[in-house]
Amino acid sequence: MMSEIQQFSQHDIEVLNEETVYKGFFTLKKVQFKHKLFAGGESGVVTRELLVKGAASAVIAYDPEEDAVVLVEQVRIGAYQPESARSPWLLELIAGMVEEGEQPEEVALRESEEEAGVSVQDLTHCLSVWDSPGGVVERIHLFVGRVDSSQAKGLHGLAEENEDIRVHVVKREQAYQWMCDGKIDNGIAVMGLQWLQLNYAQLQQRWQ
């Protein structure tokens, strides 16, 4: 028998202090708060550092005729581990940050052109999730869209942002196997490829 889920809300947290300790490409904040407890009563003062990133859109760029997905490869400093033999160049979904005044759908379409040179049709929202909410403020919006994978080739990215992006067209089964083997190991790509594996048959029926 499942236990009853206690419903807390935004009103059950009291923010005592919030300060910005660093502001650069991302913002780092220090937050002190109290919250209600499951057993009743209130917690002590909790102090957390929060990396504020905002929101991002990611696209499962799927070609139903070729049963293939468009992936991008670029260096990620967070994956750079000098003691590891693993490369910090990661295979990822097309993705980009949602800037102020933008809608996630707009970002998904724009980044598909900028990062992979593909035009997305039938863009559909899959799900939205928090990325590591214990210490990061970032909402990920995952979309799927129909593409012609023959358009996806070459090198892309904005020079003014020092982007250096290589495009790959990978059969869906191969991409999923790479995920299972750990060759693809970043969270957004894993989530997207799992979603695609569960839903590709419906997409093929809908789009072909």
Side-chain angles (χ1 to χ4, degrees):
M1 181 177 179
M2 292 183 61
S3 61
E4 182 180 351
I5 298 177
Q6 187 168 356
Q7 296 294 325
F8 288 133
S9 73
Q10 303 279 1
H11 303 293
D12 298 311
I13 292 181
E14 179 186 1
V15 176
L16 304 173
N17 187 55
E18 180 178 313
E19 60 178 304
T20 298
V21 296
Y22 177 79
K23 190 172 182 64
F25 189 75
F26 297 123
T27 298
L28 183 65
K29 290 187 175 183
K30 183 177 181 179
V31 181
Q32 292 180 308
F33 64 97
K34 292 182 177 180
H35 62 88
K36 288 186 178 179
L37 299 172
F38 291 117
E42 189 178 61
S43 72
V45 177
V46 182
T47 301
R48 292 288 185 270
E49 287 75 37
L50 285 176
L51 181 65
V52 181
K53 299 175 67 178
S57 293
V59 184
I60 308 166
Y62 181 58
D63 184 335
E65 295 187 7
E66 297 296 329
D67 194 20
V69 60
V70 177
L71 301 176
V72 293
E73 179 185 6
Q74 58 187 314
V75 66
R76 293 303 195 187
I77 190 60
Y80 171 63
Q81 303 291 322
E83 70 281 1
S84 172
R86 296 186 68 88
S87 172
W89 274 259
L90 304 183
L91 285 172
E92 303 176 330
L93 298 184
I94 297 165
M97 303 299 298
V98 179
E99 304 294 341
E100 186 175 353
E102 288 186 311
Q103 295 299 314
E105 294 84 354
E106 297 171 343
V107 177
L109 296 174
R110 185 192 71 226
E111 292 295 330
S112 296
E113 293 277 2
E114 289 183 3
E115 291 194 348
V118 293
S119 176
V120 174
Q121 307 297 320
D122 300 312
L123 186 72
T124 304
H125 179 257
C126 302
L127 48 88
S128 295
V129 299
W130 291 110
D131 176 20
S132 192
V136 178
V137 182
E138 183 177 36
R139 188 74 167 166
I140 305 295
H141 303 286
L142 181 66
F143 296 89
V144 66
R146 177 171 56 88
V147 299
D148 175 1
S149 61
S150 67
Q151 298 177 349
K153 61 187 69 173
L155 303 176
H156 295 267
L158 298 178
E160 61 268 26
E161 296 183 8
N162 290 305
E163 290 182 326
D164 182 41
I165 300 170
R166 182 164 61 175
V167 178
H168 299 267
V169 177
V170 183
K171 291 292 187 180
R172 173 187 51 80
E173 282 288 0
Q174 179 67 81
Y176 184 71
Q177 188 60 52
W178 283 348
M179 185 210 75
C180 294
D181 294 342
K183 182 175 180 178
I184 295 177
D185 61 355
N186 61 91
I188 296 176
V190 169
M191 178 173 63
L193 292 173
Q194 287 179 332
W195 189 96
L196 180 61
Q197 193 70 6
L198 290 170
N199 294 277
Y200 75 91
Q202 296 179 24
L203 295 176
Q204 290 180 346
Q205 184 177 17
R206 187 192 314 166
W207 290 345
Q208 287 187 333

